[in-house]
Amino acid sequence: MQDRHEAMNAILAQNWWALALRGAMAVLFGILAFVLPGATILSLVLIFAAFSLVDGIFGIIAAIRGARAGVRWGLLLIHGIAGVVIGIAAFVWPGITVFAFVLLIAAWALISGVTMLVSAVKLKTSHGRGWLILGGIASLLYGILLAVSPMVGAIVLAWWLGAYAIVFGITLLVLAFRLKRHAGHRPAGTARSGI
């Protein structure tokens, strides 16, 4: 078992540059998300549109195959058609898709906030009622802010994604350069290999 760990460590150390490249790309994406938040959100919408369209096409194919096999196929067809329609709509009207996505998050935050507040009433004070109330209020405020200004909400979502990508990228870069120090150290019998 120890030999397997040493071999894996050696392989990672030899390929430190691959982790560094991943880290650099993540940092670059994060910076772009901060500088161009609108383009970042639009890219995510277009990826979603492509996914929905492809998923819908496969749903329709599954429905046709189901009909030929004599099994229930109606829901598959409805799902497939809905996916195609939503995918096309997202491609044609990406701005509306972003708007709808942010409003969906706002609705989730509002519902979550209300349920947390209702739950807090039933919770004993000693069990953390105050924290549940605080979380519920925060969720309600977040939902209201998104509902009142959804496009600002979309930009903030892009910034959160950018912040995550930068932190993730930096951790990969730090790991890569720590591994680089061990790149020449290989256990006996370990061949050079890629990740």
Side-chain angles (χ1 to χ4, degrees), residues 20 86 111 113 116 148 177:
I86 289 170
I111 291 167
M116 287 174 78
V148 168
F177 287 107

Side-chain angles (χ1 to χ4, degrees), residues 99 102-103 106 141-156:
F99 184 75
V102 173
L103 289 181
L141 289 175
Y142 181 64
I144 290 167
L145 289 172
L146 285 180
V148 168
S149 185
M151 290 332 253
V152 171
I155 290 170
V156 171

Side-chain angles (χ1 to χ4, degrees), residues 126-184:
S126 63
H127 285 67
R129 177 188 293 172
W131 290 106
L132 199 55
I133 290 171
L134 183 63
I137 290 170
S139 189
L140 281 174
L141 289 175
Y142 181 64
I144 290 167
L145 289 172
L146 285 180
V148 168
S149 185
M151 290 332 253
V152 171
I155 290 170
V156 171
L157 287 174
W159 287 343
W160 275 106
L161 180 61
Y164 160 74
I166 289 171
V167 170
F168 179 73
I170 289 171
T171 58
L172 284 182
L173 285 169
V174 170
L175 173 62
F177 287 107
R178 291 190 84 151
L179 287 170
K180 182 181 179 187
R181 285 190 256 160
H182 302 284

Side-chain angles (χ1 to χ4, degrees), residues 48-59 80 83-88 91:
F48 165 76
F51 165 77
S52 183
L53 191 60
V54 170
D55 183 58
I57 290 169
F58 281 117
V84 169
V85 169
I86 289 170
I88 291 170
F91 272 121

